Amino acid sequence: MKLLTVVGARPQFVKAAALSRALDRIEGIEELIVHTGQHFDSNMSEVFFEEMQIPKPAFNLAINSLGHGAMTGRMLEEIEKLILSEKPNMVLVYGDTNSTIAGALAAKKLHVAVGHVEAGLRSFNMAMPEEVNRILTDRISDHLFCPTDTAINNLKKEGYDNIDCHVHRTGDVMQDAAIYYAQFVEEKSHVLKDNNITEDIALVTIHRAENTDDPKRLNAIVNALNHIHKKLRVVCPLHPRTRKIMDKLKLIPEFDLIDPVGYFDMIALLQRSKVVLTDSGGLQKEAFFFNSPCVTMRDQTEWVELVENGFNMIAGADSDQIIAAFNQMIDASPDFSLDLYGKGKASENIASIIASC
Ligand code: UD1
């Protein structure tokens, strides 16, 4: 079994780290990693490969900083060439980015099986590029590795019982990564010391296009965080996209901005968080893995089970709503022992399905 794994954006490195380790343990599976280059700053990319010991990419396409069409189109062209030369049995893609749809489409057109890790998620907001990417990727995938029951049900509602593909409930590989890498954090992470973090914080990330590309929303988020920072120290490792836009709009954050951090530092920050405020999909789950309530600064989430069970509140991008949700979640103490994501067995499950293909 020769696998071509396509990754390109930060959260995909985390997911691939977990699955690559499981694949490596199975004899007869050869995995080649293609990095599309979508994320290219060393603190958005290299650091993950190094500290998570992900096998070095066999190919780096260095495609980035382009509009959606140009980025996806160039990736499609280059991945197609690689599939033709490497002749994999399966192309593995992750999540919902432009790298995901490009990898899946290139493979499908060449009649190579597609495996989609994190299949079946929906925000039901077609204005998000991620929603378009994930719906199209699911539809052309042969193996849909679903992290949750919600994901399975979403696919059922879309008629996947009658589509020629295999839908698997596997659990979430991000929980596998969280459990495995947490054991090294104390030794490897210096972020708390470097930033003089000695008490609880509110951990914040902002990078979604729906927030960064709408000045009204971004302004409202910054205002809410300025207010919250007066009560609880807000620490925000900032995506380069958001930093550029904040500078352009001359928004003045009064909370602590730091450069994007690697995975060990992120876990250290999560362990110190009393509450997480984010528009990231992955961080909503990581908050849960590390026992922090979460406020989601979006209008919907793919991880509805977190909301239904009181771990997460959807606040949109309205200052008052964000502050109200923060005030409510700071005192929340839901039962974090609930098993929503498979408790660290997802990679093993996916690897053994791949091995049996
Ligand atoms: C992408 C994904 C999103 C995912 C996110 C994780 C798409 C459509 N979106 O969004 O689903 O949640 O990654 O972070 O694929 N940039 C840098 N340095 C980098 C990376 C990006 O400066 O290392 C800049 C780019 O030049 C660009 C902007 O950030 O101007 C946006 O990058 P892009 O890859 O288009 O999307 P993300 O916002 O990262």
Side-chain angles (χ1 to χ4, degrees):
M1 163 62 77
K2 187 171 181 181
L3 270 181
L4 199 71
T5 291
V6 178
V7 290
R10 185 168 55 175
Q12 293 166 337
F13 310 143
V14 175
K15 293 165 199 164
L19 187 47
S20 285
R21 286 183 51 253
L23 290 167
D24 195 42
R25 286 197 293 268
I26 299 183
E27 223 173 288
I29 296 186
E30 182 196 356
E31 184 188 29
L32 285 180
I33 296 187
V34 183
H35 188 329
T36 61
Q38 180 168 356
H39 284 176
F40 53 94
D41 283 343
S42 77
N43 56 13
M44 296 284 287
S45 172
E46 221 171 283
V47 63
F48 292 88
F49 282 85
E50 271 167 24
E51 65 180 18
M52 301 181 90
Q53 296 181 326
I54 307 169
K56 227 178 140 42
F59 308 96
N60 192 323
L61 306 179
I63 300 167
N64 53 57
S65 306
L66 296 163
H68 286 278
M71 190 195 281
T72 314
R74 283 190 203 169
M75 288 175 185
L76 185 57
E77 193 177 347
E78 295 305 316
I79 296 168
E80 183 178 76
K81 286 183 200 158
L82 286 177
I83 296 173
L84 287 169
S85 63
E86 295 300 325
K87 302 187 177 43
N89 306 98
M90 185 186 283
V91 170
L92 205 54
V93 295
Y94 291 85
D96 55 21
T97 71
N98 293 336
S99 303
T100 314
I101 180 67
L105 194 50
K108 194 66 181 176
K109 291 272 179 95
L110 292 172
H111 307 148
V112 173
V114 179
H116 184 202
V117 180
E118 219 179 54
L121 297 183
R122 299 290 182 265
S123 66
F124 304 101
N125 177 0
M126 285 298 272
M128 290 173 68
E130 293 84 358
E131 182 76 350
V132 178
N133 290 338
R134 60 170 82 98
I135 288 176
L136 298 181
T137 301
D138 279 345
R139 186 59 188 81
I140 57 175
S141 290
D142 298 278
H143 288 276
L144 292 92
F145 302 115
C146 298
T148 57
D149 291 333
T150 313
I152 297 267
N153 290 333
N154 288 340
L155 293 176
K156 273 191 194 306
K157 282 186 208 144
E158 289 176 19
Y160 273 72
D161 284 342
N162 301 315
I163 289 175
D164 186 18
C165 65
H166 304 277
V167 174
H168 313 274
R169 163 80 158 98
T170 57
D172 191 326
V173 293
M174 285 193 75
Q175 184 155 32
D176 308 14
I179 292 170
Y180 179 74
Y181 291 101
Q183 59 187 317
F184 308 112
V185 169
E186 213 176 299
E187 178 200 338
K188 304 262 186 189
S189 169
H190 306 288
V191 71
L192 301 181
K193 197 158 162 267
D194 292 351
N195 292 283
N196 197 21
I197 297 171
T198 51
E199 287 175 16
D200 286 345
I201 57 164
L203 175 62
V204 169
T205 71
I206 320 157
H207 79 270
R208 287 280 166 191
E210 70 211 73
N211 287 331
T212 58
D213 298 0
D214 180 339
K216 201 164 151 250
R217 288 178 74 97
L218 191 57
N219 198 21
I221 289 173
V222 171
N223 283 340
L225 297 173
N226 284 345
H227 180 90
I228 290 169
H229 185 63
K230 292 184 184 125
K231 282 193 175 175
L232 180 66
R233 183 174 175 191
V234 170
V235 177
C236 174
L238 201 59
H239 190 297
R241 167 213 278 280
T242 320
R243 191 176 280 273
K244 278 181 218 160
I245 296 173
M246 274 188 178
D247 288 348
K248 205 168 118 208
L249 294 175
K250 300 196 167 54
L251 291 178
I252 319 247
E254 288 156 20
F255 50 92
D256 294 338
L257 296 183
I258 60 176
D259 285 336
V261 294
Y263 194 62
F264 292 128
D265 284 346
M266 202 54 160
I267 296 182
L269 291 170
L270 281 159
Q271 289 171 334
R272 212 62 242 230
S273 297
K274 200 157 163 47
V275 64
V276 170
L277 298 103
T278 188
D279 61 7
S280 153
L283 203 68
Q284 292 173 50
K285 281 176 296 166
E286 286 166 339
F288 168 74
F289 300 152
F290 293 100
N291 303 345
S292 262
C294 183
V295 174
T296 296
M297 299 185 291
R298 285 175 46 195
D299 301 327
Q300 60 283 119
T301 180
E302 298 79 26
W303 308 103
V304 286
E305 56 285 329
L306 292 174
V307 177
E308 285 164 4
N309 289 291
F311 301 107
N312 191 338
M313 256 183 102
I314 302 290
D318 175 273
S319 288
D320 292 343
Q321 275 191 48
I322 295 170
I323 294 166
F326 166 80
N327 286 332
Q328 194 169 324
M329 291 315 264
I330 194 110
D331 291 325
S333 50
D335 177 10
F336 285 103
S337 67
L338 198 67
D339 179 8
L340 296 174
Y341 299 106
K343 290 269 179 211
K345 297 273 176 238
S347 312
E348 225 175 280
N349 293 338
I350 295 173
S352 63
I353 294 166
I354 291 174
S356 67
C357 283

